[in-house]
Amino acid sequence: MKKLLLAISLSVFVSQASAGIRQYQADLSNSSWQLKDDSRLQCTLSHNIPNYGEAKFFAKANRNTNMMFELDMLNLPDNYSLAEVRSIAPSWRPGIGGRTLANMKLHKQFSPDLPKKVAWTMLTELEKGMSPTFYYDDWYNDADKISVGLSSSKFHKAYQKFVGCVGRLLNYSFDDIAYTVLNFEFGSDKFTKASKRKINMIRDYLSLDQDLELVLIDGFSDSWGARNTNLKTSQKRAEKIRQYFIENGIDPTRIEAKGYGENRHIASNDTVLGRAKNRRVVIRMEKP
């Protein structure tokens, strides 16, 4: 009987060992959360997972409050599959049940991510002391599963900073201003009210984003008046914007301005509305 029990115990042990779960999660001593990006363009809350990679929550300047989560693995997925995302109570909080939050797609050779709603849900679970955990099949060993947990230890201080950063983000993105048309009042280099608001948005963005390589400013006029006068007016308008940016701390080498006069009309000069559209400056911004 003793030999039979010993044989059964060994069999169970071998079975568990051959179908094990490899777990990756920071413990109380090495859990770390950091606010890596803290600007009006992007906020990134980062958590290191020892021997596995990095978990990142990030939000970018946009018209709508946005949020994404990315699991940056040291070894990228080798197959297409799904990971179950569950909220699990840590070991020091026994008796609290977990729940499924979502499924996360694993794409071959890409860091997996999750959209806004799930990302915010994971943050609120961490705030409650829970541990969002990912479960998926090992793509090298069919008998093994992988468990990747986010520790809530030392989370709250960094999270408070992150929420504050998100609240300060610009409410527009690079795409909203990358190609901008500014219009002027008749016969002058004064902006219309709408154009004043737009140029201030561009000024704020330029002061924050040092990755922009070049800002091109092209000035145009309508055909009302002498051609040479119109050319000078368009040059004056383009240069005025360039100087405005320089006075607000933008590197002059990043800005080029040129006037084209009556060339390149976008509307008829036979109407008041058409001429108003032609009196314009186009600002184009380029990223590497």
Side-chain angles (χ1 to χ4, degrees):
M1 184 66 178
K2 288 182 178 180
K3 289 183 178 180
L4 177 61
L5 289 174
L6 179 59
I8 293 173
S9 298
L10 287 171
S11 175
V12 171
F13 175 78
V14 171
S15 175
Q16 289 176 340
S18 62
I21 295 181
R22 297 211 312 276
Q23 297 179 319
Y24 299 91
Q25 183 170 0
D27 58 27
L28 286 171
S29 64
N30 62 10
S31 178
S32 174
W33 288 89
Q34 294 181 325
L35 183 60
K36 282 197 169 181
D37 294 312
D38 184 5
S39 75
R40 298 193 68 198
L41 297 180
Q42 179 164 328
C43 309
T44 303
L45 180 62
S46 170
H47 176 58
N48 182 58
I49 305 170
N51 302 316
Y52 184 85
E54 184 181 17
K56 294 185 287 187
F57 294 90
F58 58 90
K60 295 183 179 181
N62 203 289
R63 293 178 182 177
N64 302 309
T65 302
N66 63 97
M67 178 69 63
M68 288 287 291
F69 170 82
E70 181 177 280
L71 192 58
D72 191 0
M73 304 174 174
L74 293 175
N75 295 313
L76 293 173
D78 202 41
N79 283 310
Y80 299 97
S81 58
L82 283 177
E84 183 185 18
V85 187
R86 292 183 56 81
S87 179
I88 304 296
S91 58
W92 61 88
R93 299 182 66 188
I96 300 177
R99 67 188 183 99
T100 299
L101 303 180
N103 286 320
M104 181 174 67
K105 294 179 180 179
L106 301 179
H107 297 284
K108 191 172 183 179
Q109 296 302 308
F110 283 94
S111 294
D113 55 37
L114 290 167
K116 175 180 176 179
K117 185 175 180 179
V118 182
W120 275 118
T121 301
M122 290 169 62
L123 286 170
T124 57
E125 291 297 301
L126 283 161
E127 191 176 15
K128 292 185 291 186
M130 301 294 281
S131 174
T133 305
F134 307 86
Y135 297 94
Y136 59 91
D137 294 329
D138 186 355
W139 43 81
Y140 296 122
N141 187 344
D142 294 337
D144 280 3
K145 287 188 176 293
I146 307 294
S147 166
V148 184
L150 309 186
S151 172
S152 61
S153 178
K154 303 175 186 176
F155 168 76
H156 288 84
K157 187 175 181 180
Y159 178 55
Q160 289 173 358
K161 292 180 180 179
F162 178 68
V163 171
C165 178
V166 172
R168 294 189 297 271
L169 286 171
L170 294 178
N171 61 356
Y172 54 93
S173 67
F174 172 77
D175 291 337
D176 295 325
I177 57 173
Y179 184 91
T180 301
V181 178
L182 304 175
N183 295 107
F184 294 83
E185 296 178 3
F186 173 71
S188 76
D189 58 357
K190 293 182 179 179
F191 297 119
T192 61
K193 289 182 179 180
S195 293
K196 286 180 182 177
R197 289 193 297 270
K198 202 74 172 181
I199 195 173
N200 288 335
M201 290 168 62
I202 296 172
R203 174 203 63 198
D204 291 344
Y205 195 94
L206 286 175
S207 66
L208 295 168
D209 192 346
Q210 299 303 313
D211 290 334
L212 285 171
E213 286 189 337
L214 188 61
V215 181
L216 301 173
I217 305 172
D218 300 327
F220 305 92
S221 72
D222 59 26
S223 60
W224 200 265
R227 179 177 293 271
N228 189 53
T229 300
N230 289 337
L231 177 60
K232 291 180 179 179
T233 299
S234 69
Q235 291 171 337
K236 184 178 180 181
R237 288 168 175 166
E239 186 58 34
K240 178 182 179 180
I241 295 176
R242 181 176 184 273
Q243 286 301 124
Y244 175 77
F245 289 149
I246 293 172
E247 289 167 6
N248 281 274
I250 310 303
D251 184 352
T253 61
R254 298 169 64 194
I255 311 169
E256 293 183 5
K258 187 173 182 179
Y260 293 90
E262 301 177 13
N263 295 325
R264 305 180 189 177
H265 290 159
I266 59 172
S268 171
N269 279 294
D270 296 331
T271 65
V272 173
L273 182 60
R275 290 193 293 274
K277 290 181 179 180
N278 289 330
R279 295 191 301 271
R280 72 197 190 281
V281 164
V282 176
I283 299 178
R284 294 173 288 147
M285 292 181 285
E286 298 181 0
K287 278 192 172 185

